[in-house]
Amino acid sequence: MTTDDISGMGPLVARMARGGQRLRQADRNRPWVLDTAVVVLVFLMFCLADLLHSGDGDGPRRFRLAFTQLPLAGMLALQAGLVLPLLWRRRRPLAAFGVIAAVFVLQWSIGAALRADVALFVALYSLALHGRLKQLPWACAAMAGAMVLVAVRVSGAMSVWDALFFLLSTTTAALALGLMVRIRRAQLAGLRERAARLEVERDQRSRLAAVTERTRVAREMHDIVGHNLSVIITLADAGAYATDLAPERGKEALQLIGDTGRQALGELRRVLGVLREAADGPPAGPELSPQPGIADIEALCAKVRAAGLEVVYRTSGDVDALDSGVQLTAYRIVQEALTNTLKHADADTRVHLAIIETDTRLTIRVQDTGPATPPGPHEEGHGLVGMRERAALYGGTVSAGPAGGGGWSVEAVLDLTPQGGVR
C-alpha cells in the first residue's frame, strides 16, 4: 500500500472513529435505544419468517415431519419468551440468559423449532461480555445440555454428531466473541486510565518544577536584594555622617553606592533573564555574567569593608577547583551571613570569615565580634532558612548562634562526596 493510499484512508478512518464515539456517547445516554433495536432486529430477521409461514413451512419435508407445528398463539408466546428478555441482556445478563434458556428447553421439549432460537446465542454472547466470569461455567453447562437436547430432537433428520458439531461450534463462537470484545474493552479502559494517570503525573511534575523554580528565583532575589540593599543603606548612612567632617569620604561612599547598585541591577537582570522564553530570542544587550563563586568573595568582603566593618578572610584547601554549584552555594551563604552582620553589628565590629576545604566536606565559618543578637523573625523566615535550603542541596547543615567569646557565629558544612561515593 502506497503513502497516497494511506493518506487517502486517513480522513475516512477519522470519520469512522468520530462516528463510533458519537454512537457510544448516545448509547451511554439512552441505553434502551440499542436494546430495543436488537429486539426489533431479531424479530424482523428471524421471528417474522416463522409467523408468515406458520401453516405450511418452508423447509424440506423431512424437517417439517420431525418438528411439531405450533398454532399462531403458541408461536407468538414462545417467540416473546425468547426475544423480549434481550431487552435487559446488558443490565441483567444472567437473568436474561436464564429466561431464554428455560423457554428454549421448553420449546424443544415439545418438539418445536423456531428461528428465534438465535436469541439464546445472543444471550450467551451478552453474558460473556457483560456478566461475571464466574457465571460462565454454569452457563456453558446449561448450553451444552440444551444443545444435546436439540441434537437428539433432530436425530430423525440428520446425524446427532453432525448436529452437535454445528451447535457446539456456534456456541463456542458466541462465547469467544463475547470474551474477545470484553478483553478488548478492558484493554482500552486500561489504556485510557494509564493515559489519564500519565497526564496527571505530567501536570504534577510541571507544578513541582514551577514551585522549585519559583523557590530558586525567590532565594536568589533575596540574596541579591537583601545583601546589596544592606550595603547601600550602610554606605548611605556613613556618607551622610561623613559629609560635614570629610567630604571626600562622602563622595567615596556615593561612588560605592553607585557601584553596588549597578552590580545588584546586573545580578537581577541575570536572574530574571533566565525566566524569559526561548521564543523571545537572544538578548540584544551584552551577554550575562556567570554565577558568582568563591573567587568573588574577596570583592564581597571589600564592599563590606567599605561599609565600615573589618573583615578578615582566609581560605584553606583547593577551593577554586570546587564545583560551580558548590561555589555558588558557598558565596550565597557568606553573602547572607555578612548581610546579617551588617544589620546587627556595631561600627567597630570585626568579622572573621574562613572557608576550609577537605576531601569530603567544605566548612564555611563566619564569626563577628558584635552583639550576640539573634536574627529577628524576618531573617529566620528567609535568610537562615535560605542558607539551610542551599546547604541541604549538598547534604549539608547550617548552625547559627551566639559565639563563645561574644558576637554571633554562622557555620555551614557541605558534603563534597559525589553520589556513588567516587570523588
Side-chain angles (χ1 to χ4, degrees):
M1 182 176 292
T2 63
T3 306
D4 295 335
D5 295 334
I6 296 176
S7 61
M9 292 178 61
L12 177 60
V13 174
R15 286 194 296 269
M16 292 176 62
R18 288 193 295 268
Q21 291 178 355
R22 287 193 292 267
L23 288 177
R24 285 191 293 270
Q25 183 62 38
D27 183 47
R28 284 191 292 268
N29 295 334
R30 297 179 179 84
W32 59 269
V33 174
L34 179 60
D35 295 334
T36 305
V38 170
V39 171
V40 172
L41 184 64
V42 172
F43 175 80
L44 294 177
M45 292 182 62
F46 301 99
C47 298
L48 193 59
D50 284 336
L51 294 175
L52 295 178
H53 303 282
S54 60
D56 51 0
D58 60 347
R61 177 177 177 81
R62 56 175 179 168
F63 282 97
R64 293 200 306 267
L65 294 177
F67 301 137
T68 303
Q69 297 296 323
L70 295 174
L72 182 60
M75 185 179 298
L76 284 174
L78 289 176
Q79 288 179 346
L82 290 171
V83 176
L84 290 182
L86 294 178
L87 288 172
W88 63 84
R89 65 183 182 88
R90 293 190 292 179
R91 290 171 294 171
R92 298 289 187 272
L94 182 62
F97 175 81
V99 172
I100 295 175
V103 176
F104 181 87
V105 171
L106 174 62
Q107 167 208 324
W108 282 98
S109 298
I110 62 176
L114 296 175
R115 293 181 176 85
D117 292 338
V118 72
L120 183 62
F121 300 101
V122 176
L124 179 63
Y125 161 83
S126 300
L127 181 61
L129 177 58
H130 303 289
R132 299 179 181 177
L133 293 179
K134 63 181 181 180
Q135 299 170 348
L136 286 181
W138 300 102
C140 292
M143 283 292 296
M147 296 303 103
V148 170
L149 175 61
V150 175
V152 172
R153 281 294 183 178
V154 300
S155 58
M158 62 185 302
S159 170
V160 174
W161 298 111
D162 291 342
L164 275 177
F165 175 79
F166 173 77
L167 294 172
L168 293 180
S169 298
T170 307
T171 301
T172 303
L175 182 64
L177 181 61
L179 291 176
M180 183 187 68
V181 176
R182 184 189 189 113
I183 293 172
R184 179 59 177 168
R185 289 185 179 180
Q187 290 176 343
L188 292 177
L191 291 176
R192 286 192 293 267
E193 181 181 357
R194 184 171 181 269
R197 185 171 63 252
L198 290 176
E199 185 175 358
V200 171
E201 292 177 356
R202 182 198 62 191
D203 294 340
Q204 290 176 346
R205 285 194 299 268
S206 299
R207 287 193 294 268
L208 288 176
V211 170
T212 302
E213 184 65 14
R214 285 196 298 268
T215 303
R216 186 190 68 81
V217 172
R219 188 166 55 234
E220 291 286 335
M221 295 286 288
H222 171 266
D223 292 339
I224 295 171
V225 176
H227 169 75
N228 289 286
L229 283 182
S230 297
V231 173
I232 289 173
I233 291 172
T234 304
L235 289 173
D237 292 339
Y241 178 76
T243 299
D244 297 331
L245 301 179
E248 67 280 359
R249 297 297 302 274
K251 181 179 179 180
E252 181 182 355
L254 291 176
Q255 291 176 347
L256 290 174
I257 289 175
D259 294 339
T260 303
R262 280 188 290 272
Q263 180 181 356
L265 183 60
E267 293 186 7
L268 284 176
R269 286 175 176 172
R270 173 180 53 78
V271 173
L272 297 178
V274 300
L275 301 179
R276 296 175 182 173
E277 297 182 355
D280 294 340
E287 294 184 358
L288 299 175
S289 60
Q291 294 274 24
I294 292 180
D296 301 298
I297 293 181
E298 183 59 46
L300 182 66
C301 294
K303 289 194 297 183
V304 176
R305 293 188 188 103
L309 299 182
E310 181 180 356
V311 181
V312 178
Y313 171 47
R314 69 182 180 89
T315 62
S316 176
D318 191 7
V319 296
D320 294 331
L322 293 175
D323 180 77
S324 60
V326 176
Q327 293 199 35
L328 175 61
T329 299
Y331 180 90
R332 293 306 187 196
I333 291 176
V334 171
Q335 186 184 51
E336 181 62 34
L338 293 178
T339 300
N340 289 336
T341 300
L342 276 174
K343 292 179 180 179
H344 300 94
D346 298 330
D348 57 349
T349 297
R350 172 179 291 186
V351 181
H352 295 273
L353 169 61
I355 300 179
I356 303 171
E357 184 266 344
T358 63
D359 290 338
T360 58
R361 67 179 184 175
L362 179 70
T363 303
I364 305 165
R365 188 178 297 113
V366 183
Q367 183 176 349
D368 61 61
T369 60
T373 304
H378 177 73
E379 289 79 15
E380 178 65 26
H382 294 83
L384 292 178
V385 172
M387 285 192 287
R388 293 190 179 103
E389 289 178 351
R390 287 186 180 275
L393 295 177
Y394 295 93
T397 59
V398 175
S399 59
W408 190 261
S409 176
V410 175
E411 182 173 335
V413 179
L414 307 182
D415 186 6
L416 300 181
T417 304
Q419 293 183 356
V422 180
R423 181 169 172 77

